[in-house]
């Protein structure tokens, strides 16, 4: 498995990846990822640093995608903040792929000059919460009844934040920043 920058040529594989996800997973993705036009636009825009950066985890066959991560900078007065979006194929969960993609996004966001990262996680998604808190994210907000799942049930959404200067200065003082950067390559 390799993590590569998303390119326009990955659009068909990315669409297949998103379409293979269970309906429940797609509920919590902001974009309409089963629409070919939307996915093509995501892949084509991936190289534009002004709208964020996106990466795909390519399976060993180098043609199918097993994971996707994006760092999307916010606009205007929040342009120092980036939102991370992460999706891993159900068959690849529990393998460390999610952590590897999240670390990659974190390192890339820091290198791009972002000073704060946020991620939105459905409050009852324990593994996702554990993944991001393990990477230095902490709870910043709980939005009750913020989203509606495909069954019409209201769900709570947690906003987790990573303040780069706080976390990275602590990691740098014990020599961990190089180890994190190496583990994402």
């Amino acid at each position: 498995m390799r993590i590569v920058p998303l390119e326009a040529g990955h659009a068909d594989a990315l669409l297949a990846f998103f379409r293979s996800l269970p309906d429940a997973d797609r509920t919590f993705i902001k974009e309409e990822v089963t629409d070919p036009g939307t996915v093509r636009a995501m892949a084509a825009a991936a190289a534009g640093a002004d709208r964020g950066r996106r990466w795909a985890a390519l399976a060993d066959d180098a043609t199918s995608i097993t994971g996707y991560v994006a760092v999307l900078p916010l606009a205007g007065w929040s342009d120092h903040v980036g939102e991370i979006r992460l999706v891993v194929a159900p068959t690849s969960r529990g393998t460390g792929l999610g952590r590897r993609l999240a670390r990659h996004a974190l390192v890339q966001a820091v290198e791009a000059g972002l000073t704060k990262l946020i991620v939105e996680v459905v409050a009852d998604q324990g593994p996702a919460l554990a993944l991001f808190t393990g990477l230095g994210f902490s709870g910043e907000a709980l939005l009750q009844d913020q989203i509606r799942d495909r069954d019409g049930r209201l769900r709570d959404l947690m906003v987790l934040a990573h303040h780069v200067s706080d976390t990275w200065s602590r990691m740098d003082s014990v020599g961990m920043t190089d180890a994190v950067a190496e583990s994402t390559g």
Side-chain angles (χ1 to χ4, degrees):
M1 190 277 313
R2 293 181 302 128
I3 298 172
V4 298
L6 191 63
E7 299 174 352
H10 295 126
D12 290 339
L14 186 62
L15 181 62
F17 166 72
F18 284 132
R19 286 183 171 172
S20 74
L21 295 173
D23 283 344
D25 287 1
R26 287 195 308 266
T27 295
F28 306 115
I29 300 174
K30 291 181 179 184
E31 296 98 343
E32 182 48 60
V33 293
T34 59
D35 174 62
T38 300
V39 174
R40 274 195 284 281
M42 288 169 63
D50 59 325
R51 291 306 315 142
R53 303 207 186 254
R54 300 169 193 256
W55 300 270
L58 294 181
D60 291 334
D61 65 9
T63 61
S64 58
I65 292 175
T66 57
Y68 163 85
V69 68
V71 176
L72 306 174
L74 302 184
W77 58 19
S78 295
D79 63 358
H80 63 290
V81 179
E83 179 183 0
I84 293 181
R85 297 184 185 170
L86 173 69
V87 185
V88 174
T91 56
S92 295
R93 293 178 188 159
T95 66
L97 177 58
R99 178 172 297 281
R100 194 163 163 214
L101 284 167
R103 280 183 178 166
H104 181 82
L106 182 58
V107 169
Q108 296 297 316
V110 170
E111 288 179 359
L114 296 173
T115 59
K116 180 180 179 181
L117 298 167
I118 61 168
V119 64
E120 296 177 350
V121 179
V122 178
D124 60 7
Q125 291 182 328
L129 290 169
L131 179 135
F132 284 105
T133 57
L135 292 174
F137 285 76
S138 59
E140 200 158 86
L142 173 65
L143 307 174
Q144 296 180 343
D145 296 337
Q146 181 71 14
I147 55 176
R148 185 183 321 270
D149 66 20
R150 293 193 186 266
D151 295 326
R153 291 177 294 160
L154 296 175
R155 308 278 290 275
D156 295 347
L157 187 69
M158 291 192 68
V159 178
L160 304 176
H162 180 96
H163 296 271
V164 172
S165 61
D166 295 343
T167 302
W168 285 73
S169 65
R170 287 192 302 262
M171 289 173 60
D172 196 37
S173 69
V174 294
M176 289 181 59
T177 52
D178 292 337
V180 171
E182 288 172 15
S183 73
T184 62

